[in-house]
Amino acid sequence: MSTTLIVATQAAPVALGAVATANRANATNPNAVKIDFVQGKNVDAQGSKTATSVLKSGSDQFTSTKDIVHALAKLDPTLTSSAAVDEWLAFVDEQLQTTDFKALDVAYKKINKHLTLRSYIAGYEPTAADFAIWGTMKGSPIFGKIYKSKKESLGDYLTRWFDHVSELPAAKLAVDLLTRAQDTKAKASDQGKLEIGLDDAHMGSVVTRFPPEPSGYLHIGHAKAALLNQYFAQQYKGKLIIRFDDTNPSKEKVEFEESIKEDLALIGIKGDVVTHTSDYFDKIYDLALQIIKSGDAYVDDTDQATMRDQRMNGIASKNRDLPIEENLRRFEEMKNATEFGMTCCLRAKISVDNPNKAMRDPVIYRVNVTPHHYTGDKYKVYPTYDFACPIVDSIEGVTHALRTNEYRDRNPQYYWMLDALKLRKPIIWDFSRINFVYTLLSKRKLQWFVDQGLVTGWDDPRFPTVRGIRRRGMTIEALKQYIIMQGASQNILTLEWDKLWSLNKKVIDPIAPRHTAIAKEDVVKCKINGAPVKAVVEDRPKHKKNPELGSKKTTLSDHIILEQEDAASFELNEEVTLMDWGNAFVRDIKKDESGKVTSVELDLHLEGDFKKTKKKVTWLSYGDELVDVILLDFDYLLTKKKLEEGDEITDFITPVTEFKDAAYADANVKDLKHGDIMQFERKGYYCVDAVATDSSPAKFIHVPDGKATSMASKAEDNKGAATPAKTLDAPSSFPKKALKAATDAVSKVLGSN
């Protein structure tokens, strides 16, 4: 069984004692303890939001210094050679883990006195007590300040001992590891690593699963989960199961399942087997009967509002202690969807008032008379995800259940189900969810945007679905690179979109053909003296650095069009460069009463040096060779980077998120196909969203390039406070004070119900 120590680098104090103890244990038993650091003041620990370190050993975890160090010390008997070690470990938790200066002063004096005739805290050689006390002091800003400015006040014996322990190999390595981890803080954005091992993973025997619910389209959070599951299955030469969690017929459709299969194939995910939770409905139902008969579940007809209130306040249901026979009778009524049965649900009998609310008698079966898209009307009762998932994981031989660490509080519930049913327990291995600024990933909330008509559908380019970002011009190669770059980190971060789109730019720039588009609004006609009176068509490379893309036709003539912004910047007799043609002198500029340029006259000067001109402008010969196009750009759907608890979603809807510009483009764009990515020079990268028809021009969607100008929220012109869309109704299923930050769920794929 592998053991992992996770330490927060910005904690006060940092758990250096635990790291030093782990180093000592590793010196005796190489690689016995894996040490990970996470940026921040706390680590994600089951049942604790304030833990500064956590030790995981199989399904066990420890968060107090005493428990962590004591558990680590078992790996090296010399670390607990004295009976006094436990007493001093308790002393660390009770008296040294504080920022109270007076309390620490008393503790330091006690240690100094204790060390008067001793070299070590407990015994005649370094023990876990020495490392725990030393580490807490070393990681304490208060101790550090005293040690630096008033060292003598700590006492001769304490400082002698502290300096000596600081030179021990295990302690020196602990400081070195922490320093390196803290040095990476500035880089701790969206970059992680995959080169890590799974607990108790054996080559050829690892089985992972990706369990999407077919109730929506695959989004970028799902893509990360799918890729991680595939990565570890392949790394250990194991098996990946694609399992559709079809336990809620009210939300699920064949359409969604097929789209998920297509999108998984698109990002290169192919399961070794595809299954459905519904394949096991009979078995799960039998296990529900079993858990009722064992007295570990009861049927409750309490109304939903009362049940919610009782669970929140730790109040037992009036039905909690019903006889087993009555629960079986009621469950039969649920099965048959009788009038009474439809008022009931089956609840696991775990706890009424457990601090972890996920353990407060969760619902594990409910009635639903909506026909299932696979099983039809065969069933009228369905298991919840929390009940079905651990069961099917166990049945299908899953060895490692990967899901996001936001659901770590549900891990005890997962294991409780398996213990109650006496089923084999897979290992839960969690990773950080993927969050982005101005973005929601909850399928319920994305569905609301669709229902309100704020987007065109699940493939809308403003959506974080795989189809949405693909339509925006994201390449699968860049998406996979980004997720692999982020890795299996447990750091919970809200990421900017810039790095993902920057990666995408690196992929598309070498292969995107170059074209020209001129905005129609206030377009300026220009006469060029010295240019061919009769149009001349010449070949130009589509990409100067990639001749393999071939050539395009460029028309040269004495009449061209320029964009208003370019023409307005010209000065008389200034030399400018017409891109892909040559230089010209500005000889005349005409403007209307409003100051807008109406025409320009140029003298062609092909002998001129383009390196010496400040202005390089795009242009097009006008005539039959011009093509009408629509250029589309989009803003974020939200005006706030991260929604906080209590935020009303309707207060942060961006009023205008789609922008259209009519333009003329060179005739070569007629050869482009739907989905092609190209560049309009000086405008950016674009993806062909629709080819031209007899009734409508071609549409091109702007592809962000990761630069600040393309990633900034356009709503921030309003200082981020767009006019609230009060005419919209917030989703009825949203508890108004429970809207989490931008991605409050990565759906049932990652462990939610």
Side-chain angles (χ1 to χ4, degrees), residues 515-518 560-563 566 577-579 616-620 680-683:
H515 293 279
T516 301
I518 302 294
I560 64 172
I561 55 174
L562 301 169
E563 292 208 344
D566 288 334
T577 297
L578 302 175
M579 294 175 62
K616 279 81 174 172
V617 299
T618 48
W619 56 275
L620 286 172
F680 282 127
E681 295 197 274
R682 298 180 65 226
K683 288 186 179 296

Side-chain angles (χ1 to χ4, degrees), residues 57-190:
S57 184
S59 59
D60 296 326
Q61 76 162 29
F62 308 94
T63 55
S64 72
T65 300
K66 176 183 177 182
D67 292 341
I68 290 174
V69 174
H70 194 271
L72 289 170
K74 292 179 180 178
L75 300 172
D76 181 351
T78 63
L79 288 168
T80 53
S81 57
S82 169
V85 168
D86 281 352
E87 176 187 336
W88 283 101
L89 292 180
F91 172 82
V92 171
D93 279 336
E94 294 166 5
Q95 299 187 46
L96 289 183
Q97 301 277 8
T98 179
T99 56
D100 184 322
F101 181 86
K102 290 183 178 180
L104 285 175
D105 184 56
V106 172
Y108 296 155
K109 286 178 178 176
K110 178 178 179 179
I111 296 171
N112 184 64
K113 182 178 180 180
H114 177 74
L115 289 168
T116 301
L117 298 174
R118 295 178 175 86
S119 297
Y120 298 105
I121 296 294
Y124 299 99
E125 58 184 337
T127 65
D130 292 280
F131 290 125
I133 294 174
W134 167 85
T136 306
M137 291 179 175
K138 183 70 176 177
S140 167
I142 293 176
F143 180 86
K145 187 174 182 180
I146 297 173
Y147 184 84
K148 186 176 181 179
S149 60
K150 297 181 180 180
K151 184 177 179 179
E152 66 280 357
S153 68
L154 293 169
D156 292 340
Y157 305 110
L158 185 152
T159 54
R160 170 187 53 77
W161 165 86
F162 181 83
D163 291 343
H164 173 67
V165 175
S166 295
E167 291 301 314
L168 295 176
K172 292 178 72 174
L173 179 58
V175 173
D176 181 57
L177 290 174
L178 175 64
T179 301
R180 279 188 278 167
Q182 290 176 332
D183 285 344
T184 65
K185 180 183 178 183
K187 303 175 184 177
S189 54
D190 51 358

Side-chain angles (χ1 to χ4, degrees), residues 18-37:
V19 180
T21 307
N23 290 335
R24 176 65 179 270
N26 283 335
T28 306
N29 301 288
N31 302 316
V33 185
K34 176 184 162 190
I35 304 172
D36 282 343
F37 290 92

Side-chain angles (χ1 to χ4, degrees), residues 380-552:
K380 295 181 176 60
V381 287
Y382 294 91
T384 62
Y385 179 84
D386 288 334
F387 188 58
C389 181
I391 290 172
V392 182
D393 281 351
S394 185
I395 292 173
E396 289 190 331
V398 171
T399 60
H400 295 79
L402 277 61
R403 59 183 187 180
T404 56
N405 51 19
E406 65 184 308
Y407 293 110
R408 190 168 285 168
D409 283 352
R410 300 171 95 119
N411 293 354
Q413 182 196 91
Y414 179 100
Y415 286 125
W416 184 93
M417 301 292 180
L418 295 172
D419 286 336
L421 296 168
K422 297 179 173 55
L423 294 175
R424 180 192 61 85
K425 290 191 287 188
I427 295 172
I428 293 177
W429 193 90
D430 44 27
F431 56 92
S432 65
R433 67 183 183 269
I434 193 166
N435 302 325
F436 284 98
V437 295
Y438 303 113
T439 304
L440 297 173
L441 290 181
S442 163
K443 283 194 290 186
R444 285 185 299 117
K445 297 174 185 177
L446 294 178
Q447 181 67 60
W448 178 75
F449 276 93
V450 175
D451 295 341
Q452 293 288 341
L454 296 172
V455 294
T456 57
W458 286 88
D459 66 343
D460 190 284
R462 290 160 288 194
F463 257 17
T465 55
V466 171
R467 295 187 176 207
I469 60 176
R470 281 279 291 162
R471 191 175 165 196
R472 190 80 183 267
M474 175 60 60
T475 62
I476 295 303
E477 180 180 348
L479 178 61
K480 292 175 70 173
Q481 282 183 17
Y482 181 76
I483 290 175
I484 289 171
M485 176 188 295
Q486 195 208 14
S489 166
Q490 295 198 348
N491 294 337
I492 297 177
L493 301 163
T494 299
L495 309 174
E496 299 284 346
W497 282 95
D498 56 353
K499 182 165 286 186
L500 175 54
W501 288 111
S502 294
L503 277 175
N504 192 60
K505 177 187 174 182
K506 291 180 181 179
V507 173
I508 64 177
D509 182 72
I511 57 174
R514 272 48 172 173
H515 293 279
T516 301
I518 302 294
K520 279 188 177 183
E521 185 178 6
D522 299 321
V523 68
V524 178
K525 291 186 177 181
C526 175
K527 177 175 171 46
I528 306 180
N529 301 316
V533 175
K534 185 178 180 180
V536 175
V537 179
E538 295 184 357
D539 286 339
R540 295 283 191 273
K542 290 182 178 179
H543 194 309
K544 292 182 176 67
K545 296 181 180 179
N546 186 358
E548 292 184 5
L549 292 181
S551 61
K552 61 184 178 183

